[in-house]
Amino acid sequence: MSLWCLPPVPADICHGPVPAPNPEFTLKPKKKKSIQQSCETPGSPCSPCQEIVLRQCLGQHIGTEQMMVCSNRTPFSCSNLCGNLLQCRNHYCQKSCHAIIDRSLILDGYAISNVTPESCEECTLPCQKERSPACPHPCPLPCHVKNCPPCKVLIKRSCHCGTMVHVFECALYNSMFEEEQQQARSCGGPCHRKLPNCTHLCPETCHPGKCPSPEKCSKKVTVRCVCLHLKKQWLCHDVQAACCNSKHDMREISRSQFGIGLLPCTSECDIACKKKTTNPEVHQRKITMMEDKAKPALLPKGRKRREHKQEIKRSSKLEKQVFQVITLTAQKWLLIATMVVLLLVFAYFGYHGLFWLSDWMNEVEARRLKNRYPRI
Ligand SMILES: [Zn+2]
Ligand SMILES: [Zn+2]
Ligand SMILES: [Zn+2]
Ligand SMILES: [Zn+2]
Ligand SMILES: [Zn+2]
Ligand SMILES: [Zn+2]
Ligand SMILES: [Zn+2]
Ligand SMILES: [Zn+2]
């Protein structure tokens, strides 16, 4: 049997001409007529192929195949979105099912040459990737394939003691380990934060966290007795220990009272005071005064601050009132002076002005008469 019959589609696409059954291998009697049509007359065109085939949609979506007669080559779109991965490799095409430009135009056994393939969408979104190392700054590029470039945003971080502010490139700072970050943030100068238990400043190099061992402060402190006559040099940690024993809260002792009253008054104090005042009662009074003076220093800081604020308020109010009275008086006197000056000016110019006017009128009259009677 020859294959002369020229099918309307290429032989590899359609089932092609079907040769007449070989009588020797044909079951007899043949009751069912085959759907396949054979080319009975060599050289004549085949009748349309009636084979039932499964056809895929234009977008080649899985599970959307339709049963179609082989010769029916009408392309169809399914109800899915295209879903093809876009060039940005992050997003998928949202167009409805369409023939894709870069796929083979021969789909599952039929040509779609009469269908113009469409290109997928173009991604216009900004980059939505998470940056590495993670940071809150968005990537400046439009949606892209490769990793994001390192974040160049400048971030500010103060040093541990608060003396200066460092500026870091975000990616550089965030790629450091925590320890490295802490190190990079140190200003390298002395910490100089006030120690919690004494009046001294931390001598350590700018460091994170609390100041280490403030109870071991070894600065020198002048300690005195209550009447201030005796004095000695102690190390700060000894002063702290002594204050601890006397159950004074270190945080509430003011700078000027630090170390005062730690030495007990001796007979020396009495003698010294006698020399000065010749009266031990006065010395006693002085001691009481000193103790009284020391008391406000032991008042809670908040109360002290409140009282101080109120005092400032009161004095500033008084100052304001005095200033107002002065300004009002000055304004009154200035007004009176201006009025007097104006009156004087008017009187002077008014008086002289009258004379000048009468002179001028006389002159005009004389000129007129002269013109009228030139011989006189
Ligand atoms: Zn489809
Ligand atoms: Zn994209
Ligand atoms: Zn698409
Ligand atoms: Zn960043
Ligand atoms: Zn990016
Ligand atoms: Zn610092
Ligand atoms: Zn410190
Ligand atoms: Zn100290």
Side-chain angles (χ1 to χ4, degrees):
M1 182 73 201
S2 77
L3 297 176
W4 259 92
C5 150
L6 291 173
V9 287
D12 57 335
I13 294 168
C14 179
H15 299 87
V18 180
N22 189 334
E24 284 181 25
F25 296 104
T26 311
L27 291 170
K28 290 172 189 174
K30 193 182 168 189
K31 282 180 188 169
K32 223 177 177 182
K33 202 183 173 188
S34 167
I35 307 166
Q36 286 182 354
Q37 308 238 328
S38 59
C39 290
E40 274 154 23
T41 326
S44 67
C46 287
S47 50
C49 178
Q50 294 301 304
E51 189 81 7
I52 299 292
V53 288
L54 275 177
R55 289 270 155 80
Q56 271 194 308
C57 64
L58 286 171
Q60 299 183 28
H61 292 111
I62 296 164
T64 57
E65 294 86 356
Q66 282 186 13
M67 301 273 263
M68 284 178 109
V69 173
C70 177
S71 53
N72 177 8
R73 288 174 290 121
T74 324
F76 69 93
S77 294
C78 71
S79 58
N80 291 321
L81 297 179
C82 164
N84 190 34
L85 192 61
L86 299 183
Q87 278 183 347
C88 69
R89 317 305 288 170
N90 300 312
H91 298 105
Y92 296 92
C93 178
Q94 298 289 306
K95 284 185 180 177
S96 51
C97 177
H98 67 93
I100 294 160
I101 207 158
D102 53 355
R103 279 192 198 157
S104 163
L105 295 185
I106 299 163
L107 301 177
D108 192 31
Y110 75 102
I112 53 161
S113 47
N114 54 340
V115 175
T116 342
E118 261 179 76
S119 52
C120 284
E121 281 182 317
E122 224 172 79
C123 181
T124 53
L125 295 170
C127 171
Q128 293 168 332
K129 287 183 182 178
E130 280 222 350
R131 307 196 78 166
S132 166
C135 79
H137 311 115
C139 172
L141 299 181
C143 192
H144 57 91
V145 181
K146 290 181 182 170
N147 289 339
C148 296
C151 181
K152 297 275 181 202
V153 175
L154 297 178
I155 50 170
K156 288 179 182 174
R157 292 287 179 275
S158 67
C159 77
H160 311 294
C161 69
T163 311
M164 66 181 281
V165 174
H166 295 281
V167 177
F168 297 102
E169 216 169 67
C170 177
L172 185 78
Y173 185 75
N174 284 322
S175 59
M176 289 182 201
F177 289 111
E178 208 183 320
E179 266 179 33
E180 289 174 314
Q181 286 181 349
Q182 302 282 28
Q183 229 170 13
R185 276 175 65 179
S186 172
C187 67
C191 166
H192 275 181
R193 277 180 282 177
K194 190 194 158 298
L195 293 174
N197 300 345
C198 59
T199 56
H200 303 120
L201 306 178
C202 175
E204 299 289 322
T205 307
C206 179
H207 60 87
K210 285 182 179 173
C211 294
S213 40
E215 70 284 352
K216 285 181 188 160
C217 177
S218 55
K219 291 265 161 66
K220 277 184 183 170
V221 178
T222 310
V223 290
R224 292 171 187 270
C225 66
V226 175
C227 76
L228 307 182
H229 175 67
L230 302 175
K231 68 171 184 180
K232 267 185 187 172
Q233 293 280 319
W234 283 13
L235 290 180
C236 182
H237 52 81
D238 295 331
V239 178
Q240 288 182 38
C243 284
C244 231
N245 289 340
S246 63
K247 286 177 186 161
H248 277 164
D249 191 343
M250 304 298 296
R251 270 158 270 188
E252 288 173 1
I253 296 177
S254 73
R255 195 183 168 84
S256 59
Q257 296 299 318
F258 193 66
I260 288 181
L262 288 179
L263 297 179
C265 278
T266 57
S267 51
E268 237 182 88
C269 299
D270 280 340
I271 296 162
C273 281
K274 258 181 209 160
K275 264 188 202 163
K276 273 185 199 166
T277 61
T278 63
N279 189 357
E281 262 178 45
V282 176
H283 177 230
Q284 192 54 46
R285 223 181 293 150
K286 198 177 166 190
I287 289 175
T288 342
M289 259 169 64
M290 282 308 296
E291 276 171 349
D292 283 348
K293 229 185 195 178
K295 261 179 201 162
L298 298 174
L299 277 179
K301 264 192 181 168
R303 198 171 132 194
K304 261 201 311 188
R305 222 174 286 146
R306 234 179 294 134
E307 277 174 10
H308 185 61
K309 263 188 198 167
Q310 277 176 353
E311 214 170 275
I312 289 174
K313 233 188 205 172
R314 246 179 276 139
S315 66
S316 70
K317 211 175 174 184
L318 203 74
E319 269 172 26
K320 230 187 217 170
Q321 279 175 351
V322 169
F323 182 70
Q324 270 179 353
V325 169
I326 290 172
T327 339
L328 274 174
T329 325
Q331 276 177 350
K332 215 159 88 184
W333 280 109
L334 201 70
L335 199 75
I336 290 168
T338 321
M339 277 171 75
V340 168
V341 168
L342 276 174
L343 266 173
L344 283 173
V345 167
F346 275 125
Y348 177 79
F349 281 105
Y351 183 67
H352 282 272
L354 273 175
F355 278 112
W356 180 81
L357 196 72
S358 98
D359 283 354
W360 180 71
M361 277 172 81
N362 286 344
E363 206 177 294
V364 169
E365 186 65 24
R367 228 180 282 157
R368 199 163 57 92
L369 286 173
K370 213 177 178 182
N371 286 347
R372 199 176 284 177
Y373 311 105
R375 281 180 199 170
I376 295 173

Coordinates of all heavy atoms in Angstrom, one line a residue, residues 76-110:
F76 N -7.2 26.3 21.8 CA -8.1 26.8 22.9 C -7.3 27.2 24.1 O -6.2 26.7 24.4 CB -9.2 25.8 23.2 CG -8.7 24.6 23.9 CD1 -8.6 24.5 25.3 CD2 -8.1 23.5 23.2 CE1 -8.1 23.4 25.9 CE2 -7.7 22.4 23.8 CZ -7.6 22.3 25.2
S77 N -7.9 28.2 24.8 CA -7.2 28.6 26.1 C -8.0 28.0 27.2 O -9.3 27.9 27.1 CB -7.3 30.1 26.3 OG -6.4 30.7 25.3
C78 N -7.4 27.6 28.3 CA -8.1 27.1 29.5 C -8.5 28.3 30.4 O -8.1 29.4 30.1 CB -7.3 26.0 30.2 SG -5.9 26.7 31.1
S79 N -9.0 28.0 31.5 CA -9.5 29.1 32.4 C -8.4 29.5 33.4 O -8.6 30.4 34.2 CB -10.7 28.6 33.2 OG -10.4 27.5 33.9
N80 N -7.2 28.8 33.3 CA -6.1 29.2 34.2 C -5.4 30.4 33.8 O -5.5 30.9 32.7 CB -5.1 28.0 34.3 CG -5.7 26.8 34.9 OD1 -6.4 26.9 35.9 ND2 -5.4 25.6 34.4
L81 N -4.6 31.0 34.8 CA -3.7 32.1 34.4 C -2.5 31.4 33.8 O -2.2 30.3 34.1 CB -3.4 32.9 35.7 CG -4.5 33.7 36.4 CD1 -3.9 34.4 37.6 CD2 -5.1 34.7 35.4
C82 N -1.7 32.2 33.1 CA -0.5 31.6 32.4 C 0.4 31.0 33.4 O 0.7 29.8 33.3 CB 0.2 32.7 31.6 SG 1.8 32.3 31.1
G83 N 0.8 31.7 34.4 CA 1.6 31.1 35.5 C 3.1 30.8 35.1 O 3.8 30.1 35.8
N84 N 3.5 31.3 34.0 CA 4.9 31.1 33.5 C 5.8 31.9 34.4 O 5.5 33.1 34.7 CB 5.0 31.4 32.0 CG 6.3 31.0 31.4 OD1 6.8 29.9 31.8 ND2 6.8 31.8 30.5
L85 N 7.0 31.4 34.7 CA 8.0 32.1 35.5 C 8.5 33.3 34.7 O 9.0 33.1 33.6 CB 9.1 31.2 36.0 CG 10.0 31.7 37.0 CD1 9.3 32.1 38.3 CD2 11.2 30.8 37.3
L86 N 8.5 34.5 35.2 CA 8.9 35.7 34.5 C 10.4 35.8 34.4 O 11.1 35.0 35.1 CB 8.3 36.9 35.1 CG 6.8 37.0 35.1 CD1 6.4 38.4 35.7 CD2 6.2 36.9 33.7
Q87 N 10.9 36.7 33.7 CA 12.4 36.8 33.5 C 13.1 37.2 34.9 O 14.2 36.9 35.1 CB 12.7 37.9 32.5 CG 12.6 37.3 31.1 CD 13.0 38.3 30.0 OE1 13.1 39.5 30.3 NE2 13.2 37.8 28.8
C88 N 12.3 37.9 35.7 CA 12.9 38.3 37.0 C 13.1 37.0 37.9 O 13.8 37.1 38.9 CB 12.0 39.3 37.8 SG 10.4 38.6 38.3
R89 N 12.6 35.9 37.5 CA 12.7 34.6 38.2 C 12.0 34.6 39.6 O 12.3 33.8 40.5 CB 14.1 34.1 38.4 CG 15.0 34.2 37.2 CD 14.5 33.6 35.9 NE 14.5 32.1 35.9 CZ 14.0 31.4 35.0 NH1 13.3 31.9 34.0 NH2 14.0 30.1 35.1
N90 N 11.3 35.7 39.9 CA 10.6 35.8 41.3 C 9.1 35.8 41.2 O 8.5 35.4 42.1 CB 11.0 37.1 42.0 CG 12.5 37.2 42.2 OD1 13.2 36.3 42.6 ND2 13.1 38.4 41.8
H91 N 8.6 36.2 40.0 CA 7.1 36.3 39.9 C 6.6 35.5 38.7 O 7.4 35.1 37.8 CB 6.7 37.8 39.8 CG 7.1 38.6 41.0 ND1 8.2 39.4 41.0 CD2 6.6 38.6 42.2 CE1 8.3 40.0 42.2 NE2 7.4 39.5 42.9
Y92 N 5.3 35.2 38.7 CA 4.7 34.4 37.6 C 3.7 35.3 36.8 O 3.1 36.2 37.3 CB 4.0 33.2 38.3 CG 4.9 32.3 39.0 CD1 5.2 32.5 40.3 CD2 5.6 31.3 38.3 CE1 6.1 31.7 41.0 CE2 6.5 30.5 38.9 CZ 6.7 30.6 40.3 OH 7.6 29.8 40.9
C93 N 3.6 34.9 35.5 CA 2.7 35.7 34.6 C 1.3 35.6 35.0 O 0.8 34.5 35.3 CB 2.9 35.1 33.2 SG 1.9 35.9 32.0
Q94 N 0.6 36.7 35.1 CA -0.8 36.8 35.5 C -1.8 36.9 34.3 O -3.0 37.1 34.6 CB -1.0 38.0 36.4 CG -0.1 37.9 37.7 CD -0.6 36.9 38.7 OE1 -1.8 36.9 39.1 NE2 0.3 36.0 39.1
K95 N -1.3 36.8 33.1 CA -2.2 36.9 31.9 C -3.0 35.6 31.9 O -2.6 34.6 32.4 CB -1.4 37.0 30.7 CG -0.8 38.3 30.4 CD -0.1 38.3 29.0 CE 0.5 39.6 28.7 NZ 1.2 39.5 27.4
S96 N -4.2 35.6 31.2 CA -4.9 34.4 31.0 C -4.2 33.5 30.0 O -3.4 34.0 29.2 CB -6.3 34.7 30.6 OG -6.3 35.5 29.5
C97 N -4.5 32.2 30.1 CA -3.8 31.2 29.3 C -3.5 31.6 27.9 O -4.4 32.0 27.2 CB -4.7 29.9 29.4 SG -4.0 28.6 28.4
H98 N -2.2 31.6 27.6 CA -1.8 32.1 26.2 C -0.6 31.2 25.7 O 0.0 30.6 26.5 CB -1.5 33.6 26.2 CG -0.2 33.9 27.0 ND1 1.0 34.0 26.4 CD2 -0.1 34.2 28.3 CE1 1.9 34.3 27.3 NE2 1.3 34.4 28.5
A99 N -0.5 31.3 24.4 CA 0.7 30.6 23.8 C 1.9 31.3 24.1 O 2.0 32.5 24.0 CB 0.5 30.5 22.3
I100 N 2.9 30.6 24.6 CA 4.1 31.2 25.1 C 5.2 31.3 24.0 O 5.4 30.3 23.3 CB 4.7 30.5 26.3 CG1 3.6 30.7 27.4 CG2 6.0 31.1 26.8 CD1 3.7 29.7 28.5
I101 N 5.8 32.5 23.8 CA 6.6 32.8 22.7 C 7.8 31.8 22.6 O 8.3 31.4 21.6 CB 7.0 34.3 22.7 CG1 7.3 34.8 21.3 CG2 8.2 34.5 23.7 CD1 7.2 36.2 21.2
D102 N 8.4 31.5 23.8 CA 9.7 30.7 23.7 C 9.4 29.2 23.8 O 10.4 28.5 24.0 CB 10.6 31.2 24.8 CG 10.0 31.3 26.1 OD1 8.8 31.0 26.2 OD2 10.7 31.6 27.1
R103 N 8.2 28.8 23.7 CA 8.0 27.3 23.7 C 7.8 26.9 22.3 O 7.5 27.7 21.4 CB 6.7 27.0 24.6 CG 7.0 27.0 26.1 CD 5.9 26.4 26.8 NE 6.1 26.8 28.2 CZ 5.1 26.8 29.1 NH1 3.8 26.5 28.7 NH2 5.3 27.2 30.3
S104 N 7.9 25.6 22.1 CA 7.7 25.0 20.8 C 6.3 25.3 20.3 O 5.3 25.3 21.0 CB 7.9 23.5 20.8 OG 7.4 22.9 19.7
L105 N 6.2 25.7 19.0 CA 4.9 26.0 18.5 C 4.1 24.8 18.1 O 2.9 24.9 17.8 CB 5.1 26.9 17.2 CG 5.7 28.2 17.4 CD1 5.7 29.0 16.2 CD2 5.0 29.0 18.5
I106 N 4.8 23.7 18.2 CA 4.0 22.4 17.9 C 3.7 21.8 19.3 O 4.5 21.4 20.0 CB 4.8 21.5 17.1 CG1 5.1 22.2 15.7 CG2 4.1 20.2 16.9 CD1 6.2 21.5 15.0
L107 N 2.4 21.9 19.6 CA 2.0 21.4 20.9 C 1.3 20.1 20.8 O 0.3 20.0 20.1 CB 1.1 22.5 21.6 CG 1.6 23.9 21.7 CD1 0.6 24.8 22.3 CD2 2.8 23.9 22.7
D108 N 1.9 19.2 21.5 CA 1.2 17.9 21.7 C 0.5 17.4 20.4 O -0.7 17.2 20.4 CB 0.2 18.0 22.8 CG -0.3 16.6 23.2 OD1 0.5 15.7 23.1 OD2 -1.4 16.5 23.7
G109 N 1.2 17.5 19.3 CA 0.6 16.8 18.1 C -0.2 17.7 17.2 O -0.9 17.3 16.4
Y110 N -0.2 19.0 17.5 CA -0.9 19.9 16.5 C -0.2 21.2 16.4 O 0.3 21.8 17.3 CB -2.4 20.0 16.7 CG -2.9 20.9 17.9 CD1 -3.3 22.2 17.6 CD2 -2.8 20.5 19.2 CE1 -3.8 23.0 18.6 CE2 -3.3 21.3 20.2 CZ -3.8 22.5 19.9 OH -4.2 23.3 20.9

